[in-house]
Amino acid sequence: WNNQLRKPPLKSQQIIREAKNIMPGGVSSPVRAFNAVGGTPIVFDHASGPYAWDVDGNQYIDYVLSWGPCIAGHANSEVLDSLRNTLSKGTSFGAPCVLENELAKLIIEAVPSIEMVRFTNSGTEACMGMLRLVRAYTKKTKIIKFDGCYHGHENSFLVQAGSGVATLGLPNSPGVPETSSKDTLVAPYGDLNTVKKLLQENDVAAVILEPVVGNAGFIKPTKEFLVGLRNLTKQYGSLLVFDEVMTGFRVAYGGAQEYYDVIPDVTTLGKVIGGGLPVGAFGGKKEIMSLIAPSGPVYQAGTLSGNPLAMSAGIKTLEILKRPGTYQYLENITSTLVDGLVKAGKEAGHSICGNSVGGMFGFFFHDGPVNNFTDAKKSDVVKFAKFHKLMLERGIYLAPSPFEAGFTSLTHTHEDIQNTINI
């Protein structure tokens, strides 16, 4: 793999130069701009399975996978066949379609906390709807989130957030009124004592977190932390919300809540449930979800929500994931990848640590352990930028930020993993 003759990314550079004059930063989402790693973003032309090709004809082993959704591989033939069949019937109706029922039933069957679900068009929308819902249900306004966790770009969540906010080094986003963020309380991830103190001193609607952090780099929780949050929220009359936009159907079929056997009150989903198309969802107990309009007074709506294309791709993807051995395979190749990278890094004299759950992973140029965002920020970001550049030049496409998780798919082979480690 390393011996492939690679072409200079001249077309990518030309396209990005033009894009910068017509789109902010030349991209439609900030992390794609390569600001954290330097150089010009690679412009993709097409992708298949675990591979992507840029507009200059270079091939990459892709560990971003559209930031997680393509768990069955890019352009999966079964998903494409399902989409073609659905496409011939129309792209969007703005009316109910039976595919919504089918995907909803699959999600309810899989995710322990969900008895009823509302579809949206993105994870951000799902988190926006969830926030309004938990405040209405509890009749409280304050929320607790965790330093470095990202829940989309709704105002209340852009306080000490992860993902692109962390990548760009923005403490908070300008344009967010103080009135929007004053009800957001922040605790260090993994710190139950701070959470308890905040719950004692405030009337809190919900404690909201990524059960496995993927937006401050990859940070694995302890089960004791998740169990502790469950107990504390029950004790103080607050809801527990798992943002499983990233972890849902990726770390296990039933998400992190199945993997760790800790059941929240409300869950947000996205990415995998759309099979590569734009989608989001939030769900929970019927008692809570029945407050959503038109069943109840909490308004939430979307023109393209539940559209047949996203539903079709999601249904087929979940059908693929239900097959025997799926998550054992993902766990195996992902842990092999991380263990191999960490071993190779240490043998070369670098400070490095890493971890994985299911088909999700991450590593830091830091001795570790990394238990929260403060630990993550001790990582050598300059070294990561150099590493990213060198891997990219050798055909390995990693997230262009030290504060983003990586992903594997069912189409990554043991050979792909070994080729990556060997580089």
Side-chain angles (χ1 to χ4, degrees):
W1 183 266
N2 194 16
N3 293 326
Q4 286 192 86
L5 183 64
R6 307 192 66 78
K7 303 168 187 172
L10 301 179
K11 289 182 181 176
S12 284
Q13 292 168 2
Q14 180 183 355
I15 290 167
I16 294 299
R17 273 198 302 271
E18 179 187 46
K20 286 182 176 179
N21 287 320
I22 52 180
M23 294 183 286
V27 293
S28 295
S29 191
V31 180
R32 302 176 195 175
F34 275 40
N35 285 9
V37 293
T40 301
I42 297 300
V43 178
F44 281 177
D45 178 72
H46 65 284
S48 178
Y51 310 119
W53 287 261
D54 66 22
V55 289
D56 291 282
N58 295 309
Q59 183 181 358
Y60 303 86
I61 301 175
D62 182 14
Y63 292 106
V64 177
L65 298 171
S66 191
W67 301 97
C70 299
I71 195 168
H74 289 292
N76 179 278
S77 59
E78 293 180 71
V79 174
L80 291 183
D81 286 344
S82 181
L83 281 170
R84 289 186 194 100
N85 181 56
T86 304
L87 188 60
S88 67
K89 300 176 182 179
T91 57
S92 181
F93 307 135
C97 74
V98 69
L99 296 176
E100 293 172 85
N101 291 23
E102 291 184 30
L103 185 55
K105 286 188 287 186
L106 285 171
I107 290 170
I108 290 166
E109 176 191 35
V111 183
S113 65
I114 296 182
E115 297 175 356
M116 185 174 279
V117 64
R118 166 58 63 88
F119 289 113
T120 64
N121 294 294
S122 69
T124 287
E125 278 188 38
C127 289
M128 289 169 64
M130 169 274 292
L131 182 60
R132 190 174 300 149
L133 173 64
V134 298
R135 283 172 165 165
Y137 180 79
T138 60
K139 298 180 174 61
K140 303 172 185 178
T141 56
K142 291 187 186 295
I143 60 167
I144 296 173
K145 72 175 289 289
F146 293 88
D147 188 14
C149 283
Y150 179 74
H151 308 290
H153 52 80
E154 198 277 336
N155 285 350
S156 300
F157 293 130
L158 286 178
V159 180
Q160 296 180 43
S163 190
V165 181
T167 298
L168 300 175
L170 305 173
N172 302 295
S173 178
V176 175
E178 190 177 328
T179 51
S180 296
S181 58
K182 70 180 176 63
D183 291 323
T184 302
L185 310 172
V186 182
Y189 191 80
D191 186 344
L192 287 172
N193 289 330
T194 298
V195 174
K196 184 176 183 178
K197 188 170 186 291
L198 289 172
L199 287 169
Q200 287 173 335
E201 296 174 353
N202 299 275
D203 225 8
V204 174
V207 176
I208 302 165
L209 75 154
E210 296 177 71
V212 179
V213 180
N215 288 291
F218 177 87
I219 303 172
K220 199 172 176 178
T222 62
K223 181 166 180 177
E224 291 73 23
F225 173 57
L226 299 181
V227 170
L229 291 177
R230 179 66 286 181
N231 292 337
L232 284 171
T233 49
K234 284 181 177 178
Q235 181 182 347
Y236 289 96
S238 302
L239 296 179
L240 179 63
V241 180
F242 278 7
D243 179 350
E244 297 228 43
V245 168
M246 193 174 285
T247 55
F249 294 93
R250 177 159 277 287
V251 303
Y253 190 69
Q257 57 196 265
E258 177 196 288
Y259 189 94
Y260 289 101
D261 192 25
V262 178
I263 313 305
D265 299 296
V266 179
T267 298
T268 58
L269 296 168
K271 296 186 186 291
V272 168
I273 65 164
L277 273 72
V279 76
F282 61 103
K285 296 183 179 76
K286 284 187 178 180
E287 176 192 357
I288 299 172
M289 292 301 294
S290 294
L291 286 178
I292 295 290
S295 296
V298 179
Y299 196 73
Q300 188 281 329
T303 299
L304 295 172
S305 297
N307 75 80
L309 292 180
M311 299 297 100
S312 175
I315 290 164
K316 182 53 67 176
T317 298
L318 298 199
E319 286 176 0
I320 292 168
L321 292 175
K322 283 183 76 173
R323 293 169 188 167
T326 294
Y327 288 94
Q328 292 91 328
Y329 182 77
L330 285 170
E331 187 91 41
N332 179 261
I333 62 167
T334 312
S335 61
T336 300
L337 173 66
V338 173
D339 291 346
L341 289 174
V342 169
K343 182 172 181 285
K346 286 182 176 179
E347 287 175 352
H350 299 289
S351 296
I352 186 171
C353 63
N355 219 325
S356 66
V357 180
M360 185 175 168
F361 71 91
F363 58 90
F364 298 93
F365 285 107
H366 173 47
D367 284 328
V370 175
N371 296 316
N372 53 44
F373 191 38
T374 299
D375 293 339
K377 287 188 287 188
K378 296 173 185 173
S379 179
D380 189 334
V381 295
V382 174
K383 185 174 286 186
F384 177 86
K386 291 178 182 176
F387 178 74
H388 184 276
K389 179 177 183 290
L390 291 169
M391 293 296 274
L392 192 69
E393 289 172 351
R394 288 157 178 79
I396 306 298
Y397 193 79
L398 299 168
S401 166
F403 303 121
E404 296 284 358
F407 307 98
T408 54
S409 77
L410 293 171
T411 56
H412 282 86
T413 65
H414 289 285
E415 185 181 4
D416 293 325
I417 301 302
Q418 204 54 54
N419 282 334
T420 305
I421 295 168
N422 290 343
I423 288 171

